[in-house]
Amino acid sequence: MQVSLRSKLVLSAVTGVLLVMILATTVTITTQISVQEELANQQSIEITKGYANQFDGDMRSNMAIARAISSSMSEYNSSDRDEVNRMMHRILEDNPHLLGTYVAYEPNAFDGRDSEFINAEGHDASGRFIPYWNKIEGEIELEPLQGYETLEYYVYPKVFNKNFITDPYYYEDVFIVSYVAPIIKDDEFLGVAGVDVSLKYVDDIVSQIKAFDTGYAIMTGSSGTILSQPYNKDWIGHKTIYDYDNEELAKAANDIQHKISGHINTIDPVTGKEVVVFYEPIESKNYGLFLVVPRSEMLAGTFALRDKLIGIGILSVFFMGLAAYVASRSVTASIDDIVNDFKDMADSAAEGKLNIRANTDIDEDFRKIPEGLNHILDGVMVPVEETIRVAEQLSKGDLKTRFEGEYAGEFRKLADSMNAFAKVLDLIINDSNQVLSAM
């Protein structure tokens, strides 16, 4: 099948533009996706680190309060239980985020008068000084500490003489964390001082964490116990991150144990979406903060940019094709003029009409073609006209007429032949005249 020059030009131009735009768009989209993904990752990492640092700061602040009480009691010499109770009450009032404040002394280690306070207010049957000022019921109340002989908040500081942050545990049906410091005087362990914090405030903060549109956060204890998550509230304190039965989340939880941060790609066991989970350890107690972000939301900006670039590419191909078509029209219009002129000239020449000339009023780039054709015709017309002139003169008896002008190539041969013919004819006529005269 014959394809017109115009079609070839348009097809070539559009194909070239299409290939260039596809390549450019592909490279741009790939680069932008990589850049946007890196930016989204960095943004999510910063969100996770920010909240992890916030909680770490809160934990350090709570521990500082416990250490301040411990230091004060190590230097306290008045042995006034009422005065210490007023101190604990005031500290609880001044720190609304605290659930409780307390000191717990070894038997007779405070004032040697435990027997006088058996079952008194804020005491149990042992009479030990173990006041626990708390807001478990809403208002500040005083009651004796419970479980101090077996629970970590008392046993760990006593055994190791170190400050201690407990794993979350239930105390009177409230999920709490205890911050405790040993009371030591003259290298002797006297008891502990501490503060309790309800994890409800942690859950309130964590539940409000948002990333992109539907991203959410999970907070875990050092053993992976879930302290907060927005979907299954009944899991808090009863389930661990390992109960999600997700290998990637389990790996992240193990990294938290070793104070390693990072991110993983996985399927959210709650929503079923493809997500990226960013995790960060909370240094004070190896708690973990997990930020769960749907991958589609992270790259939403990239996908929008991709669609725009594809749209721009399509429009570019369309307009470049249109430009190529217009350009080809301009080029082929001049070619069409030349072809039409050439056909007219060829038809006229076949009919013996050599006075036709090509139109030279076309694009400069193509002007030499019709000029060349005209020059050819001019070169042919001169010897033809000269031949006609010589023939006419000879027919009139002017045997001395000859070709005039300079000619080259085949035209030179024509001129020489005509001149030779005229010369021979002149000789014949002269000889004939002499014979006739003699006769």
Side-chain angles (χ1 to χ4, degrees):
M1 183 179 65
Q2 294 293 330
V3 181
S4 66
L5 177 61
R6 181 180 301 168
S7 299
K8 290 179 180 178
L9 287 173
V10 172
L11 182 61
S12 298
V14 172
T15 301
V17 171
L18 181 61
L19 292 175
V20 170
M21 290 305 301
I22 289 175
L23 179 61
T25 303
T26 301
V27 171
T28 303
I29 290 174
T30 302
T31 302
Q32 286 299 318
I33 287 178
S34 178
V35 171
Q36 290 293 327
E37 187 170 10
E38 182 62 29
L39 289 175
N41 283 349
Q42 193 60 40
Q43 180 182 350
S44 300
I45 289 171
E46 292 302 322
I47 292 174
T48 310
K49 283 186 176 181
Y51 279 104
N53 290 336
Q54 175 185 329
F55 287 116
D56 186 58
D58 290 346
M59 296 177 77
R60 292 179 187 276
S61 176
N62 295 333
M63 192 69 245
I65 297 173
R67 286 199 304 269
I69 298 173
S70 168
S71 297
S72 297
M73 299 311 298
S74 295
E75 302 298 327
Y76 184 75
N77 296 313
S78 298
S79 300
D80 187 334
R81 300 192 180 201
D82 291 336
E83 186 175 46
V84 173
N85 276 321
R86 288 194 295 272
M87 183 190 307
M88 295 297 103
H89 185 278
R90 181 60 181 272
I91 292 173
L92 187 57
E93 280 185 328
D94 292 345
N95 295 275
H97 70 285
L98 296 180
L99 180 69
T101 57
Y102 53 90
V103 292
Y105 276 84
E106 290 283 276
N108 289 312
F110 181 72
D111 55 9
R113 300 166 54 200
D114 288 356
S115 59
E116 299 177 23
F117 292 93
I118 294 175
N119 291 324
E121 183 182 13
H123 299 75
D124 60 12
S126 68
R128 291 170 62 172
F129 189 40
I130 49 173
Y132 181 42
W133 290 90
N134 66 85
K135 296 183 288 188
I136 293 177
E137 300 297 332
E139 298 295 329
I140 296 178
E141 296 179 350
L142 172 64
E143 61 183 44
L145 281 169
Q146 300 179 14
Y148 52 86
E149 291 290 1
T150 57
L151 295 179
E152 280 187 323
Y153 77 87
Y154 190 88
V155 174
Y156 188 96
K158 178 179 180 179
V159 173
F160 297 101
N161 278 345
K162 290 182 179 180
N163 302 331
F164 184 60
I165 302 174
T166 68
D167 277 334
Y169 66 102
Y170 279 94
Y171 184 92
E172 295 186 4
D173 296 325
V174 179
F175 201 40
I176 66 172
V177 173
S178 295
Y179 301 81
V180 289
I183 301 172
I184 298 175
K185 188 172 185 177
D186 299 328
D187 295 328
E188 181 183 356
F189 175 80
L190 301 181
V192 300
V195 296
D196 288 343
V197 176
S198 169
L199 285 176
K200 183 180 184 305
Y201 104 94
V202 173
D203 184 49
D204 290 341
I205 294 175
V206 174
S207 295
Q208 293 175 7
I209 297 176
K210 298 295 181 185
F212 299 93
D213 294 330
T214 61
Y216 64 94
I218 299 173
M219 189 171 177
T220 61
S222 57
S223 59
T225 302
I226 294 175
L227 309 185
S228 174
Q229 65 106 333
Y231 292 104
N232 303 104
K233 295 298 184 181
D234 55 335
W235 281 33
I236 296 177
H238 300 285
K239 299 282 188 177
T240 71
I241 196 73
Y242 300 100
D243 291 322
Y244 280 113
D245 195 23
N246 182 293
E247 291 183 6
E248 288 79 11
L249 286 176
K251 173 186 176 299
N254 292 335
D255 284 347
I256 292 292
Q257 300 297 320
H258 298 89
K259 296 187 176 181
I260 298 172
S261 59
H263 65 274
I264 55 173
N265 296 308
T266 187
I267 300 299
D268 188 347
V270 175
T271 64
K273 296 180 180 178
E274 183 180 357
V275 294
V276 182
V277 180
F278 300 86
Y279 53 93
E280 190 74 25
I282 300 174
E283 298 289 337
S284 298
K285 183 60 181 175
N286 274 14
Y287 286 15
L289 186 69
F290 298 79
L291 189 67
V292 183
V293 184
R295 184 176 175 81
S296 59
E297 294 176 11
M298 284 182 60
L299 300 179
T302 301
F303 295 150
L305 178 62
R306 177 200 61 188
D307 295 340
K308 288 180 180 178
L309 289 173
I310 291 174
I312 291 172
I314 292 172
L315 288 176
S316 298
V317 171
F318 172 75
F319 285 113
M320 289 299 293
L322 183 61
Y325 176 75
V326 172
S328 69
R329 283 290 301 270
S330 176
V331 172
T332 57
S334 296
I335 295 175
D336 288 344
D337 290 341
I338 294 171
V339 171
N340 292 331
D341 279 350
F342 191 84
K343 183 178 183 300
D344 292 340
M345 292 170 66
D347 291 342
S348 296
E351 295 172 0
K353 300 175 183 178
L354 301 179
N355 58 348
I356 190 169
R357 293 293 182 268
N359 178 24
T360 58
D361 186 19
I362 60 174
D363 290 342
E364 184 177 354
D365 291 336
F366 297 98
R367 193 173 299 160
K368 290 184 179 181
I369 296 175
E371 287 178 348
L373 290 173
N374 291 340
H375 182 66
I376 292 172
L377 287 175
D378 289 340
V380 171
M381 279 299 296
V382 171
V384 169
E385 289 175 350
E386 186 67 11
T387 301
I388 294 172
R389 183 190 66 82
V390 171
E392 287 179 349
Q393 290 300 109
L394 291 175
S395 68
K396 293 177 181 180
D398 184 4
L399 301 179
K400 299 298 182 181
T401 188
R402 297 290 185 271
F403 258 73
E404 298 176 357
E406 296 293 331
Y407 301 95
E410 298 300 325
F411 296 127
R412 178 72 263 171
K413 293 180 181 180
L414 175 62
D416 290 344
S417 297
M418 288 298 293
N419 287 338
F421 173 73
K423 184 177 180 180
V424 169
L425 183 62
D426 186 29
L427 289 174
I428 292 172
I429 296 298
N430 286 335
D431 287 346
S432 296
N433 287 334
Q434 288 178 4
V435 171
L436 287 173
S437 295
M439 289 177 64

